[in-house]
C-alpha cells in the first residue's frame, strides 16, 4: 500500500521568511515523488518532481529515502506562494498517483 | 483548447437525476483518471483508464459509472447520487505507465447533490 502524509494542514509565514512543507511517505517499492500546487481559483498543477532535481519558482525538494520524506522548501517566501500544496507519490511503472491531504500556505506581508 | 477540459464547471442535481461529466484532453496522453476532491479529505482516486481500458476501480459505488470511448475522452455517468457525493470531480491525464512526468489536471466539475 502507498500512503502520503502531510502533517501540517495550515502553514503561515511572513514574506521573506523560509518555508518548509513536510511530506512523509510509505511505499514498499521505488517511489516517484511529486509536489502539486493549487493557487486560488486555478487548477491543480505540477510544481516539481524528484527525478528532475529541479528548482521551480525557488522551491526545491529532496527525496530522503532513509527518512521516507520529500519536504518542500523555499528560502524566501513570496506572497504569490500562497496556495494549497499537495505531495504525491506513484510507483515506478505505476501510473496511480496517491495524494496527501494538502497544506494550505499563507504568506503574509 | 490544449490541456484537459472538463464540462460542465458546475452542476446541481437532484438525487433522482441522471447526469454526465465530460473530460477531454488533447495532449496525446493515453491514460485518464477521475479523482474526487471533498472538503477536508485527500484527493481520492476513483477510476483509471489506460489505452481506453479500465485498469483500476477503487471500490467506487455503482452509482458512478465511467466511460472511455477513446483516448481523448472520458465520461463519468451519475445516477441516484447522495448528498455526500457533493464534491469537486477532477479529471487528469498522463502519458502512460512509468509516470515520471506528473499528471495534467482539468479545472474540475463542482457537483452539488440536493
Amino acid at each position: 500500500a502507498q500512503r502520503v502524509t502531510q502533517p501540517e494542514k495550515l502553514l503561515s509565514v511572513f514574506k521573506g521568511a523560509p518555508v518548509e512543507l513536510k511530506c512523509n511517505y510509505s511505499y514498499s517499492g521505488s517511489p516517484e515523488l511529486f509536489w502539486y500546487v493549487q493557487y486560488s481559483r486555478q487548477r491543480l498543477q505540477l510544481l516539481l518532481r524528484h527525478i528532475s532535481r529541479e528548482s521551480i519558482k525557488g522551491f526545491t525538494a529532496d527525496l530522503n529515502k532513509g527518512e521516507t520524506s520529500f519536504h518542500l522548501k523555499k528560502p524566501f517566501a513570496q506572497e504569490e506562494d500562497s496556495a494549497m500544496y499537495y505531495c504525491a507519490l506513484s510507483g515506478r511503472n505505476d501510473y496511480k498517483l496517491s495524494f496527501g491531504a494538502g497544506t494550505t500556505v499563507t504568506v503574509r506581508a | 483548447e490544449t490541456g484537459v477540459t472538463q464540462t460542465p464547471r458546475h452542476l446541481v442535481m437532484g438525487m433522482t437525476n441522471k447526469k454526465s461529466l465530460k473530460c477531454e484532453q488533447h495532449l496525446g496522453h493515453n491514460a485518464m483518471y477521475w479523482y474526487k476532491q471533498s472538503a477536508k479529505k485527500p484527493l481520492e482516486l476513483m477510476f483509471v483508464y489506460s489505452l481506453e481500458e479500465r485498469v483500476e476501480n477503487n471500490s467506487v459505488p455503482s452509482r458512478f459509472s465511467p466511460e472511455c470511448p477513446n483516448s481523448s475522452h472520458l465520461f463519468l455517468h451519475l445516477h441516484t447520487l447522495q448528498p455526500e457525493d457533493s464534491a469537486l470531480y477532477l479529471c487528469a491525464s498522463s502519458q502512460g505507465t512509468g509516470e515520471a512526468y506528473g499528471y495534467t489536471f482539468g479545472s474540475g466539475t463542482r457537483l452539488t447533490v440536493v
Side-chain angles (χ1 to χ4, degrees):
Chain A
Q2 55 195 64
R3 186 165 60 191
V4 179
T5 303
Q6 292 180 251
E8 304 138 329
K9 295 188 77 172
L10 301 169
L11 196 59
S12 181
V13 298
F14 283 106
K15 178 182 174 181
V19 61
E20 181 179 33
L21 289 77
K22 290 185 168 46
C23 172
N24 289 91
Y25 67 89
S26 173
Y27 187 68
S28 56
S30 292
E32 303 276 0
L33 275 298
F34 307 86
W35 277 98
Y36 281 80
V37 60
Q38 189 169 28
Y39 301 103
S40 178
R41 300 187 182 185
Q42 294 188 31
R43 65 183 66 193
L44 192 62
Q45 56 187 288
L46 178 66
L47 179 62
L48 56 79
R49 50 191 187 269
H50 91 271
I51 59 166
S52 55
R53 296 182 168 274
E54 57 202 342
S55 173
I56 302 293
K57 299 183 180 182
F59 284 98
T60 59
D62 292 319
L63 177 60
N64 186 323
K65 291 188 177 181
E67 296 182 358
T68 59
S69 68
F70 188 57
H71 304 324
L72 183 69
K73 301 176 186 178
K74 184 169 182 176
F76 308 102
Q78 303 299 313
E79 289 181 76
E80 55 265 29
D81 296 328
S82 295
M84 184 80 159
Y85 291 80
Y86 294 93
C87 184
L89 173 152
S90 73
R92 197 158 293 171
N93 298 319
D94 176 6
Y95 36 70
K96 186 173 77 171
L97 195 61
S98 297
F99 287 85
T103 298
T104 300
V105 172
T106 303
V107 180
R108 294 176 288 168
Chain B
E1 183 184 337
T2 58
V4 178
T5 304
Q6 289 186 246
T7 54
R9 294 293 298 271
H10 301 273
L11 178 63
V12 179
M13 60 185 289
M15 289 190 284
T16 58
N17 291 159
K18 287 185 180 181
K19 296 286 183 183
S20 295
L21 309 185
K22 181 182 177 181
C23 177
E24 192 171 351
Q25 59 95 3
H26 300 286
L27 300 166
H29 289 171
N30 53 27
M32 297 185 78
Y33 314 80
W34 281 115
Y35 276 86
K36 177 182 179 182
Q37 188 174 30
S38 306
K40 302 179 182 179
K41 291 177 72 174
L43 279 157
E44 302 171 62
L45 178 64
M46 299 177 72
F47 299 103
V48 179
Y49 275 84
S50 176
L51 299 172
E52 302 149 45
E53 286 190 24
R54 190 192 305 181
V55 296
E56 184 138 354
N57 171 355
N58 276 10
S59 302
V60 178
S62 60
R63 57 185 183 269
F64 295 91
S65 175
E67 179 189 2
C68 187
N70 55 61
S71 60
S72 299
H73 294 86
L74 184 66
F75 295 90
L76 187 62
H77 303 301
L78 316 170
H79 64 96
T80 59
L81 294 192
Q82 305 298 311
E84 60 265 29
D85 297 322
S86 298
L88 180 68
Y89 289 84
L90 292 172
C91 175
S93 68
S94 66
Q95 265 182 303
T97 57
E99 182 48 63
Y101 300 95
Y103 290 8
T104 302
F105 281 87
S107 298
T109 294
R110 175 70 63 186
L111 174 67
T112 304
V113 181
V114 298

